[in-house]
Amino acid sequence: MKDERSIGAYASHEQLVAKARPYPELWRLLVGLAIVVATYTILNLILFGLAAGLGPSGWQTGLQNGSSPLAMLVLLASFGFVTFGVTLAAKWMQHRTLTSVIGRWSATIPQFRVVLRALLILGAVIFVLPPYDYGAPLVPNLAFFTWLALLPLSVLVVLIQTSAEEILFRGYLQQSLAARFRSPLIWMGLPSLLFAIGHYAPAAAGDNAMLVAVWAFIFGLLTADLTARAGTLAPAIALHFFNNAVALLVVSLPDSLSGLALYHLPYDMTDTGVLRQWLIVDFAVMIVSWLTVRLALRR
């Protein structure tokens, strides 16, 4: 990644990194991350405390795993606290605005539109291609008209969740490391590794946990690559949003984050047979999606 061709391909990344360069000290990054974690934790405790008190009896557990539509809406919306935390960290540690982390709106919005349109076309093509089932009949979750009525809110909270993760990992963290280190191996690799660690959940995924973490690591590298090529977070947010919208709103696993899905898969995260086969397919779809975004951006 250190050759001139890679550096040239990532020249647009400087548009995001430039305002972080005057503040390359690692202590600033560490304090900034502490601000993000503290902000998210404190505001989440307040939100979930209020939600648990106001909600129906016994639904606190659902708030943790998103097993009902309302729980999922609250859970995904709470990721907005991550974005707020990054806003504070960027301002206090690097004297930057959130816009400087995301990218110029004049480029961000058009890129988001172009990429999302390309991914929707790709999704339609994949939908009509075999295989036509998941190894067993899908399990209905929400009634169609209930799902449809919730869809505008569902789409909004998924966008909040995916934007927050990209703003933190491919935004603040990646840019802060790039301001300090020249090598993409560091400023792409370290955020991707932390992203993978955040997705490592052996208690929920069992023997599939490492495979899920590897998936997340590769996804992090690909979205980091798109960010560096585009000079905004728009392509990464659009790809992450497209992926999570399908996985959370259309067909989800039944054991977690399943409350807003139209259907559930007929197996859970711990299934080491069928799920592993589909994870391999998902790896392939991820690579094709990344190439589709590259083509849409001509980068």
Side-chain angles (χ1 to χ4, degrees):
M1 292 184 183
K2 288 186 177 181
D3 60 41
E4 293 181 2
R5 184 175 56 183
S6 290
I7 295 172
Y10 293 158
S12 294
H13 196 226
E14 185 60 26
Q15 298 173 27
L16 295 171
V17 180
K19 291 193 175 181
R21 287 204 181 280
Y23 313 99
E25 298 87 356
L26 290 181
W27 70 263
R28 290 181 180 273
L29 173 58
L30 294 175
V31 173
L33 291 177
I35 290 170
V36 175
V37 171
T39 301
Y40 177 73
T41 302
I42 293 170
L43 293 180
N44 247 6
L45 287 172
I46 295 171
L47 173 65
F48 283 94
L50 291 173
L54 296 174
S57 177
W59 85 304
Q60 291 91 336
T61 302
L63 281 174
Q64 302 303 319
N65 60 23
S67 59
S68 71
L70 182 56
M72 272 291 282
L73 290 172
V74 173
L75 183 61
L76 295 178
S78 72
F79 278 80
F81 298 146
V82 173
T83 301
F84 181 57
V86 171
T87 302
L88 296 179
K91 181 177 181 179
W92 293 344
M93 293 295 104
Q94 298 173 337
H95 305 288
R96 304 171 62 195
T97 64
L98 181 62
T99 298
S100 73
V101 176
I102 297 173
R104 293 178 294 108
W105 291 116
S106 59
T108 298
I109 294 174
Q111 285 182 358
F112 184 85
R113 283 203 210 103
V114 167
V115 170
L116 189 58
R117 182 169 61 242
L119 290 171
L120 288 172
I121 294 171
L122 174 65
V125 172
I126 292 174
F127 180 76
V128 300
L129 293 175
Y132 300 111
D133 59 49
Y134 289 84
L138 294 174
V139 179
N141 179 40
L142 293 178
F144 177 74
F145 286 107
T146 301
W147 177 82
L148 194 62
L150 288 171
L151 192 57
L153 268 180
S154 301
V155 167
L156 176 61
V157 294
V158 171
L159 183 59
I160 290 172
Q161 179 253 324
T162 50
S163 297
E165 292 190 357
E166 294 306 315
I167 286 169
L168 175 59
F169 289 98
R170 263 62 69 179
Y172 182 70
L173 183 53
Q174 178 171 313
Q175 294 160 22
S176 298
L177 288 170
R180 174 64 179 81
F181 301 101
R182 180 177 176 83
S183 174
L185 290 172
I186 298 175
W187 54 259
M188 291 175 66
L190 184 55
S192 300
L193 180 61
L194 294 175
F195 187 68
I197 292 171
H199 284 76
Y200 181 68
D207 291 339
N208 291 322
M210 184 55 69
L211 191 57
V212 172
V214 170
W215 184 98
F217 178 72
I218 295 173
F219 184 85
L221 288 177
L222 297 182
T223 48
D225 171 80
L226 293 175
T227 299
R229 290 176 183 276
T232 82
L233 293 181
I237 291 174
L239 178 57
H240 201 158
F241 170 73
F242 175 76
N243 177 81
N244 283 23
V246 173
L248 299 179
L249 305 184
V250 183
V251 181
S252 76
L253 289 160
D255 41 359
S256 66
L257 303 179
S258 59
L260 290 172
L262 183 60
Y263 292 101
H264 288 168
L265 291 167
Y267 41 82
D268 60 30
M269 287 186 70
T270 60
D271 191 307
T272 55
V274 179
L275 185 61
R276 285 192 176 184
Q277 297 174 22
W278 281 105
L279 278 172
I280 293 171
V281 173
D282 211 26
F283 272 105
V285 171
M286 176 170 58
I287 298 298
V288 172
S289 299
W290 169 69
L291 291 172
T292 298
V293 175
R294 290 274 307 274
L295 182 62
L297 293 172
R298 303 293 195 274
R299 294 176 188 269

